[in-house]
Structures are given as C-alpha cells and as structure tokens.
Amino acid sequence: MNSKEQKLEAFSKLLDIMDDLREKCPWDKKQDLQSLRHLTLEEVYELSDALLEENLTEIKKELGDVLLHLVFYAKIGSEKKSFDIADVINSLNEKLIFRHPHIYGNVEVKDEEEVKQNWEKLKLKEGNKSILAGVPKSLPPIIKAYRIQEKVKGIGFEFASAEDAWKKVDEELAEFHAETNPEKKEQELGDVFFSLINYARISGLNADSALERTNIKFIKRFQMLEKLALEKNLNLSEMSLEEMDILWEEAKKTV
C-alpha cells in the first residue's frame, strides 16, 4: 500500500489535473453544478453495482470516478469564491471530531448502538430542527425508508424485537387486503413495504440490497430462459405460462 506522502502526492496531482481540465478542455470548461448532477448520480449507482458484486477492481475504478466529481464540485465552488476543497475537508474534519466525542472527548460508549444514538443527538445540537431533516428528498424509496427508520431509532423510536416488527407487517397486510378503495389500497401497500423494510432492518438485513440481488438473479434466469427457448426453436410470445415455467425451472438449475 502507498505511504501517506504518496497518497497526498496523488491527491495533489488530481487537483492539478482538475485545474488543467477546467482551463483547457472545452467539455470540462462548460460544466456547472446542474450539468454534473445527473452524471454524479450515474457514477454513484455504478459504484453501488460494483459494491454489490464485491468486485474490488471495479470498486477502485468507480471510487475514482466519484472522487473526480467531488473535486469538480469543489473547483466550481472555488471559482464562485464560495469554498474550495480544503474548506470541504476541514468542514468534514470538524464534523467528524464533534460527532465522535467518545474518540476525541470524554464521552464513554458501550457499543455501536450508543454511538448511533449519540450521533443523532449531536446533529440536533448542530441546528437540525428534526431528526429526519437530513434525509435527502431524492433518495430511492427503499433506501429512504431505511434511513428514516435508522434515524428515529437513534432516539429510541423502535420496536423491541424483530418479532414485534413482524406483527406490524401482519397488521399492515390485513389492512391492505381489507381495503377496496384503489387509492387507499395503494396507501396500504406503501405501509406494507415500509413495515417489511423495518422488519428486515431490525433483523440485520438490507432490503435494498436483497431486492437488487433478486433483480439481478431474475434477469440472469430470464435471459437463460430466452436462450433455452431459442435453442429449442420456441417463440416465447406464443408459449403458455405453463410452458414457459418448464423452461424457467430448467434455467434455475444453471443460474
């Protein structure tokens, strides 16, 4: 692994390259905060894919892409005379020190859970008016639900056990099945999803990762089904569900 000096040298070179690109490259000169936003989201999702696959080579590559965007935003901030990368890092350093009094102060904690609880309380001291103020509006719904639940847990708003959380799932399912009004039924479905995510979280499972892995698995199996149909000269659009299910079961044996 690289020494601290080598890491600092690499980061310094990146800052120099960013300066060059912003000055000399027609595309980089044209970018602003809004034009980069959707590209940043794309890079973060590509990093997410690599993380799910635990592909360390791809993770390294995608981390580089995300880091480039962070440096790019800081460069634009400096051009606007608002902030530069040092301000970004110094602000982060101050926040981390303030939110870890068990490391940089006299506070004692017994476990990870107490660290999380202290974290949320300290955020309120920083001026946040609500525990939920820091949840981004544009987060994907499953991740947003998870973060909401994690944050309120920090002040003790939490089921005592996974079993209690599952009772809530049963309750919401009953309300969903009993509802006949389409609009209200959709609301009840949302409650079912929220309670399922809560149960998974309390059980130590990540609903977003679980669903994405199922998506990936389904895609691979269905593509295998398509391959099997092609090998057998079968047209999927002309097959019955029962006939396709036979191919599906065959696909499951290989994927």
Side-chain angles (χ1 to χ4, degrees):
M1 291 289 99
N2 293 294
S3 67
K4 187 172 184 179
E5 289 73 19
Q6 289 171 318
K7 294 173 185 175
L8 291 173
E9 183 181 350
F11 189 67
S12 177
K13 184 175 182 179
L14 172 60
L15 296 180
D16 290 339
I17 292 172
M18 185 73 257
D19 289 342
D20 288 341
L21 295 178
R22 193 66 173 162
E23 179 185 352
K24 303 172 183 177
C25 175
W27 186 89
D28 288 282
K29 288 169 65 175
K30 187 178 179 181
Q31 302 314 305
D32 58 27
L33 298 175
Q34 298 309 315
S35 67
L36 286 173
R37 178 180 172 276
H38 74 282
L39 298 175
T40 305
L41 291 173
E42 182 180 332
E43 296 296 354
V44 171
Y45 277 113
E46 288 178 359
L47 173 59
S48 175
D49 289 343
L51 290 169
L52 277 172
E53 296 170 2
E54 295 193 23
N55 185 326
L56 294 178
T57 299
E58 282 300 306
I59 289 172
K60 180 183 71 171
K61 172 180 172 291
E62 300 303 340
L63 281 173
D65 291 341
V66 172
L67 178 58
L68 170 62
H69 280 245
L70 301 182
V71 170
F72 210 145
Y73 288 122
K75 176 63 177 175
I76 294 173
S78 69
E79 292 168 353
K80 293 178 177 293
K81 309 298 184 193
S82 179
F83 61 87
D84 61 21
I85 193 65
D87 296 317
V88 172
I89 296 172
N90 287 331
S91 177
L92 173 60
N93 290 342
E94 291 171 7
K95 180 170 67 175
L96 289 174
I97 291 171
F98 178 74
R99 293 188 186 176
H100 290 80
H102 54 289
I103 303 296
Y104 301 103
N106 301 320
V107 174
E108 293 185 6
V109 293
K110 60 183 179 181
D111 56 24
E112 173 196 3
E113 194 52 47
E114 198 167 329
V115 171
K116 290 182 180 179
Q117 292 175 3
N118 287 342
W119 181 279
E120 295 301 337
K121 292 173 184 176
L122 288 167
K123 287 178 71 173
L124 288 176
K125 288 184 179 180
E126 291 175 340
N128 290 333
K129 295 181 180 180
S130 169
I131 287 290
L132 300 177
V135 179
K137 295 178 181 178
S138 57
L139 273 181
I142 292 181
I143 298 175
K144 183 185 288 188
Y146 184 95
R147 293 298 296 138
I148 289 170
Q149 294 162 4
E150 276 283 284
K151 285 183 173 294
V152 298
K153 174 189 176 183
I155 58 165
F157 194 76
E158 175 82 318
F159 285 109
S161 67
E163 289 74 18
D164 287 344
W166 187 256
K167 291 177 184 176
K168 186 63 175 176
V169 175
D170 284 335
E171 176 187 322
E172 297 296 352
L173 278 170
E175 292 177 3
F176 169 75
H177 288 302
E179 185 57 64
T180 56
N181 180 287
E183 184 176 336
K184 291 182 178 179
K185 196 172 186 69
E186 184 177 89
Q187 293 174 8
E188 295 297 343
L189 181 60
D191 292 344
V192 171
F193 288 151
F194 192 87
S195 59
L196 270 173
I197 293 166
N198 200 34
Y199 168 76
R201 181 186 57 80
I202 294 173
S203 299
L205 306 172
N206 187 301
D208 182 73
S209 296
L211 180 57
E212 182 57 16
R213 287 193 171 96
T214 293
N215 289 339
I216 293 170
K217 179 173 63 178
F218 184 91
I219 289 170
K220 288 180 178 178
R221 287 180 176 174
F222 193 83
Q223 289 175 338
M224 177 57 71
L225 180 152
E226 291 174 316
K227 181 181 178 182
L228 291 171
L230 186 63
E231 291 173 353
K232 299 174 186 292
N233 294 317
L234 298 173
N235 189 332
L236 288 177
S237 62
E238 297 175 355
M239 296 173 64
S240 67
L241 177 59
E242 290 74 15
E243 290 171 328
M244 284 190 284
D245 195 50
I246 293 173
L247 291 182
W248 177 258
E249 290 301 322
E250 189 175 343
K252 284 172 64 176
K253 295 176 182 178
T254 57
V255 180

